[in-house]
Amino acid sequence: MVRTTADGGQVPGPGASPAARTEAAREVRALRNLVAVYRHLSGLAVQDADLAAVTRLISEQTDATVAVVSPTMDILTAAAPGQTAERAAQDVRDLVVHPRLGGVLAAASRARRALRLPGAGTAASVIVAPVLVGDDVPAHLLTVDTGGQGAGEDTRLLLTEHAATICGVILSRERVVATAASRVRDDLVEGLLSGRGQDRAETGRWARHLGYDPGRQHHVLSVAFEAARAAPATGLDLLRRAATTAESFLTTRAPDAIISVRDTEVAVVLPEQGQDSAASRALGLGTLCAARLEELFPEVTVTVGIGGPCHGPEQIRHSYAQARRTVETVRRMGRAGRVVAFGDLGIHRLLLQVPDLAELREFADEVLGRLSADPSGQAHAYLETLACYFRENASPQRAARALHVHPNTVSYRIHRVEQITGLDLGSYRDRLMAQVALEILDAVGEAP
């Protein structure tokens, strides 16, 4: 016979057999132990505990191998009785190759509850519980029966489910901390790029927090993205995915750089390998990044602008502004998709500050436009020779070698340019006008 306790439970009455009393005592001990473990797990949730502490506790209480695995079957942590974490992880790796386990993980994620997998590749059974963080399932908790004398299967199921809940709390906390740290870091980077620091000392502190090395020269890169095709909404999502991929690529290639994603752009504060102001490392990294992104996102145009050298953290904002202006200049020139340093723009960076390119084109026509009306049809040859003549510092001999013509041909063409345009290339003012006109033609993509 049995009697009912105050809490609603049932225990054997005075006339019960010794076997019934022994079984009841065993069940009471198991229940008390389960409650104690629940309390211990709940305590871990409010402490600074990690996933490893949870797996160790469950492994000790169930005498089983316990692991937390990612959706891609990576072992995040593992524990087993009498084994190191590395050995326990290897045992779980041997298990997760079982073809049935992937289906069980997916089913547990959909059901949002623990499931059993009998005999997953061995005689052992496996309990799989999804680790929930909001609506996401970033991991699963596995309890593998190793044939020990620990808790029964029902107890293991209950403990695994509760432990998965605690793992979710821990991952949520870590995600919040990581998000907060990322937000603080982004704010510091934004402050450096925009020059929001109140003084040099404050800017220096921000830079040091981000890992800036004041003993090295830096360049700022602006990696900018444009979607050549796709609807506006799809295009924006595409550009953001490209920016995230670029951040990952750059972090791997340049772990010493300060990198920040700014919507559809990635800003990089990159230390040079030496004191070389030519930005050789920045050019190389920008070229590699652009090439890789074009492989992964062929529908995206990647333009990289490189600012001038930074000799201190207070100069970062100037280098970044130059990198952004380089990207805008290259795009206005119709040459998006290139990697260009600010110092290589030359006079273009001034010319293309003019809002209306038609005004620039009009100036070039006023200076050199009459060449196109020459009845000989040699306008292109005249412009090509004039550009080469200026590049060779007005030397007919060097220009002739570059053009593979006789020096007299160069002199004749220069003379014809003067006749047709009315310019006097011996005059500083006329020579400057002709050079600027040629640079304009180059800027608008009409250079010979």
Side-chain angles (χ1 to χ4, degrees):
M1 55 183 297
V2 298
R3 64 184 177 84
T4 303
T5 62
D7 60 0
Q10 292 184 331
V11 298
S17 66
R21 290 177 177 275
T22 301
E23 178 63 21
R26 187 190 66 78
E27 291 180 356
V28 169
R29 284 196 303 271
L31 181 59
R32 287 176 177 172
N33 184 59
L34 183 63
V35 171
V37 177
Y38 266 46
R39 288 176 177 170
H40 195 166
L41 283 170
S42 300
L44 293 178
V46 298
Q47 299 170 10
D48 191 19
D50 56 11
L51 298 179
V54 176
T55 57
R56 285 196 300 270
L57 176 62
I58 300 303
S59 176
E60 292 167 0
Q61 295 298 322
T62 62
D63 197 22
T65 298
V66 181
V68 179
V69 302
S70 72
T72 56
M73 301 295 191
D74 294 321
I75 312 300
L76 304 182
T77 185
Q83 293 186 4
T84 63
E86 292 75 13
R87 179 59 192 170
Q90 185 56 53
D91 289 345
V92 177
R93 288 190 188 93
D94 295 339
L95 168 72
V96 297
V97 298
H98 192 280
R100 293 172 57 196
L101 188 58
V104 175
L105 293 181
S109 298
R110 291 191 298 270
R112 295 292 198 269
R113 63 183 179 84
L115 299 176
R116 288 190 182 94
L117 174 63
T122 66
S125 64
V126 181
I127 298 173
V128 177
V131 176
L132 301 176
V133 177
D135 293 331
D136 297 332
V137 182
H140 290 83
L141 184 68
L142 307 184
T143 301
V144 185
D145 183 8
T146 53
Q149 300 301 313
E153 193 165 281
D154 289 340
T155 301
R156 282 200 300 272
L157 180 65
L158 292 172
L159 286 178
T160 301
E161 278 196 310
H162 191 59
T165 301
I166 301 305
C167 287
V169 173
I170 292 173
L171 288 180
S172 297
R173 183 178 66 229
E174 292 176 351
R175 183 174 291 185
V176 169
V177 171
T179 300
S182 176
R183 186 175 296 115
V184 170
R185 185 182 184 281
D186 288 343
D187 288 344
L188 289 177
V189 175
E190 184 66 27
L192 287 179
L193 297 177
S194 62
R196 287 205 308 260
Q198 298 298 315
D199 51 41
R200 292 185 60 165
E202 184 178 37
T203 302
R205 286 195 299 272
W206 290 358
R208 285 193 297 275
H209 282 309
L210 293 168
Y212 182 89
D213 183 357
R216 300 170 70 181
Q217 181 173 274
H218 292 68
H219 289 269
V220 180
L221 290 77
S222 171
V223 184
F225 305 91
E226 290 179 291
R229 297 181 296 275
T234 305
L236 182 60
D237 178 66
L238 179 68
L239 297 183
R240 286 174 175 164
R241 285 193 289 113
T244 302
T245 303
E247 179 192 27
S248 177
F249 177 87
L250 292 166
T251 300
T252 302
R253 291 294 193 280
D256 55 347
I258 300 170
I259 303 171
S260 176
V261 176
R262 310 180 85 220
D263 199 18
T264 60
E265 175 207 26
V266 179
V268 184
V269 183
L270 180 72
E272 283 294 323
Q273 302 291 13
Q275 293 301 315
D276 181 12
S277 61
S280 56
R281 187 187 185 198
L283 284 167
L285 183 65
T287 302
L288 282 175
C289 181
R292 182 58 177 158
L293 267 292
E294 287 170 5
E295 289 178 6
L296 298 175
F297 301 91
E299 61 275 45
V300 172
T301 301
V302 184
T303 304
V304 182
I306 302 172
C310 304
H311 301 286
E314 71 282 355
Q315 297 179 358
I316 289 176
R317 68 185 184 95
H318 296 295
S319 183
Y320 175 62
Q322 291 173 346
R324 289 291 302 270
R325 197 186 314 165
T326 300
V327 170
E328 293 167 4
T329 299
V330 170
R331 285 175 172 173
R332 290 194 72 192
M333 293 171 66
R335 300 177 189 177
R338 299 190 181 186
V339 180
V340 181
F342 180 75
D344 293 337
L345 289 176
I347 196 174
H348 291 169
R349 69 194 192 209
L350 298 178
L351 293 175
L352 292 176
Q353 297 307 303
V354 177
D356 188 359
L357 291 182
E359 292 183 14
L360 293 177
R361 190 66 180 83
E362 183 179 347
F363 174 83
D365 281 341
E366 289 176 1
V367 177
L368 299 173
R370 279 174 282 184
L371 287 174
S372 61
D374 181 55
S376 67
Q378 294 295 307
H380 181 83
Y382 292 155
L383 288 174
E384 182 182 37
T385 301
L386 182 62
C388 186
Y389 178 74
F390 285 142
R391 284 196 301 271
E392 299 298 335
N393 295 316
S395 169
Q397 289 75 23
R398 289 198 295 271
R401 286 196 293 271
L403 295 170
H404 305 290
V405 297
H406 194 277
N408 289 343
T409 302
V410 173
S411 298
Y412 170 76
R413 290 176 179 174
I414 297 300
H415 180 63
R416 285 293 296 154
V417 168
E418 291 180 314
Q419 285 183 324
I420 296 170
T421 61
L423 294 170
D424 177 7
L425 297 181
S427 164
Y428 167 78
R429 180 177 178 277
D430 285 6
R431 187 167 62 250
L432 178 60
M433 289 175 60
Q435 287 179 304
V436 170
L438 284 170
E439 293 292 346
I440 291 173
L441 293 178
D442 184 41
V444 298
E446 297 179 20

